Amino acid sequence: MAEIIGTISAANNLIETAFQIIKRLRQAYERQKESAALLDSLSEEILSIGKIVSIVEDEDALQTANVSAVLIKLRMTEDNLVNWLKKADPGKKGLMRQSLYQLVHGSKEYKILGEIKDELTRVKSDLSITIQVAHVGVTWTAKLEIVANNKIIRRVNKRLVKLFGKDGGLKIADLLEHRSPRDDGLFQLSEADLASLNSGDDLSSAGSEIEVSNAEMPPDTNNRIIIGNSTKAQALMINGPIGEDMWRDISYLRIENNTAEGNSTMVNHATSFEVLKFLTERQDANKERERQWQSSTNKRALNELAVG
């Protein structure tokens, strides 16, 4: 838990730093319409991401291994953005006389900023989807029953719907919408219910690269069950704690019917931040190679059509 709190804090600090630099740039280039529009777009994206991170910070139920994995990726992307913004910071005399528009348009710097903006948008989408499909309030009882806490689900879902709209709430809330909780306020779930949450249909259509696992259980539960998960394409799934190995003293571990296809990666054990960083960077490298291959293929096809 301490690790994800540190990740959230770092992400928030980078958001604040980026926003302050953008604010200074906005004031310096206020009369340049193109520059102002570019900075306003960046500012809106940063503020939007900040609202999502704040919900994760407030809600312990959302601080899962998979959300943590996306936050680490977000922190890396924000760091790239802040480094780029520092180059254009009006506090640096060398760039003060230059138009931000002239600085970035038609140049290598513009391409770099475009790539950072695109990655920021992708990570924001990943974070939103990973939160929405999280197994909020789900625990395993001592009798290996799967139950969901109605109070926690309703509270978290209300915040997400307010931020994302009615279609942006928790997937588990939709699953339980027409069911009645037990007298103790808990919903009884089946393994089929968990499998439906992990089906990946919504994730695939939204282009998500990091999927939720069903291994997220509170530290007082001495059992871990990881079943029916699947990854495809360039997906990365973490089915265990990140940082501290909270599985050292478990008494029951069940891992079955999990599949990883294509260039996807699935980890069914505790993972260090160093390993996660390596997996994330490898994932980004694989995506870049795939994009370059696709671009090269498209160019060849266009050339062939032109010759024909």
Side-chain angles (χ1 to χ4, degrees):
M1 186 66 72
E3 288 81 3
I4 190 172
I5 294 299
T7 303
I8 292 172
S9 177
N12 278 330
N13 288 339
L14 286 169
I15 287 172
E16 179 62 25
T17 300
F19 183 74
Q20 291 303 323
I21 296 176
I22 290 173
K23 186 177 179 180
R24 289 198 296 272
L25 287 167
R26 185 67 173 81
Q27 293 172 345
Y29 302 114
E30 187 172 2
R31 295 182 180 179
Q32 300 171 9
K33 293 182 179 179
E34 298 91 347
S35 301
L38 176 65
L39 293 170
D40 286 344
S41 175
L42 277 172
S43 181
E44 288 175 6
E45 192 77 341
I46 288 294
L47 290 175
S48 175
I49 291 172
K51 291 177 181 179
I52 301 174
V53 174
S54 292
I55 292 180
V56 178
E57 184 175 24
D58 293 342
E59 297 290 349
D60 292 349
L62 293 176
Q63 295 173 11
T64 67
N66 289 282
V67 172
S68 178
V70 186
L71 285 173
I72 289 173
K73 196 170 184 179
L74 172 63
R75 186 179 65 185
M76 294 166 60
T77 306
E78 288 176 341
D79 193 45
N80 291 335
L81 175 61
V82 168
N83 288 336
W84 189 95
L85 289 171
K86 286 180 178 178
K87 295 180 182 178
D89 192 333
K92 296 189 176 182
K93 297 179 180 178
L95 299 178
M96 187 61 182
R97 299 187 187 94
Q98 232 180 338
S99 161
L100 182 64
Y101 184 77
Q102 292 175 336
L103 171 68
V104 299
H105 278 68
S107 69
K108 178 182 176 182
E109 289 300 321
Y110 177 71
K111 181 180 179 182
I112 293 174
L113 179 61
E115 291 173 350
I116 294 174
K117 285 182 65 180
D118 289 345
E119 182 62 18
L120 200 63
T121 299
R122 283 194 293 270
V123 177
K124 174 187 171 183
S125 176
D126 285 345
L127 182 59
S128 301
I129 295 170
T130 304
I131 287 172
Q132 289 162 16
V133 300
H135 291 191
V136 170
V138 176
T139 59
W140 297 77
T141 68
K143 297 179 180 180
L144 298 184
E145 295 176 318
I146 312 170
V147 296
N149 189 304
N150 183 40
K151 183 178 179 180
I152 294 176
I153 292 171
R154 287 169 61 88
R155 184 185 71 236
V156 176
N157 188 62
K158 183 178 180 180
R159 295 194 65 179
L160 294 181
V161 168
K162 183 177 180 180
L163 180 62
F164 298 124
K166 65 176 184 178
D167 294 329
L170 291 170
K171 191 172 181 181
I172 192 172
D174 293 337
L175 176 70
L176 302 174
E177 183 178 4
H178 300 297
R179 300 188 192 182
S180 299
R182 303 185 319 198
D183 292 339
D184 58 4
L186 300 177
F187 287 98
Q188 185 79 43
L189 300 180
S190 66
E191 292 183 2
D193 289 328
L194 292 186
S196 72
L197 294 175
N198 291 339
S199 63
D201 293 341
D202 292 341
L203 297 177
S204 298
S205 63
S208 175
E209 297 162 359
I210 299 182
E211 301 178 37
V212 70
S213 77
N214 58 19
E216 306 298 345
M217 290 177 279
D220 59 345
T221 301
N222 207 28
N223 303 299
R224 291 297 183 272
I225 302 177
I226 308 171
I227 57 173
N229 297 290
S230 64
T231 56
K232 298 179 181 180
Q234 300 285 351
L236 171 62
M237 179 186 288
I238 307 296
N239 292 335
I242 298 175
E244 181 184 358
D245 185 0
M246 296 182 293
W247 288 15
R248 288 177 305 216
D249 301 319
I250 61 173
S251 59
Y252 180 89
L253 176 61
R254 177 183 167 195
I255 304 175
E256 62 181 43
N257 298 327
N258 301 287
T259 58
E261 301 176 10
N263 291 322
S264 65
T265 302
M266 182 187 298
V267 180
N268 292 329
H269 202 276
T271 307
S272 68
F273 279 92
E274 290 76 15
V275 170
L276 177 61
K277 185 174 183 292
F278 167 78
L279 292 174
T280 302
E281 290 175 345
R282 188 184 69 172
Q283 181 190 38
D284 290 341
N286 287 339
K287 287 191 301 178
E288 180 59 29
R289 281 195 294 269
E290 186 173 316
R291 279 197 291 267
Q292 290 178 358
W293 178 85
Q294 188 62 54
S295 176
S296 176
T297 301
N298 292 341
K299 287 180 180 178
R300 284 199 301 270
L302 289 173
N303 289 335
E304 290 173 1
L305 287 173
V307 171

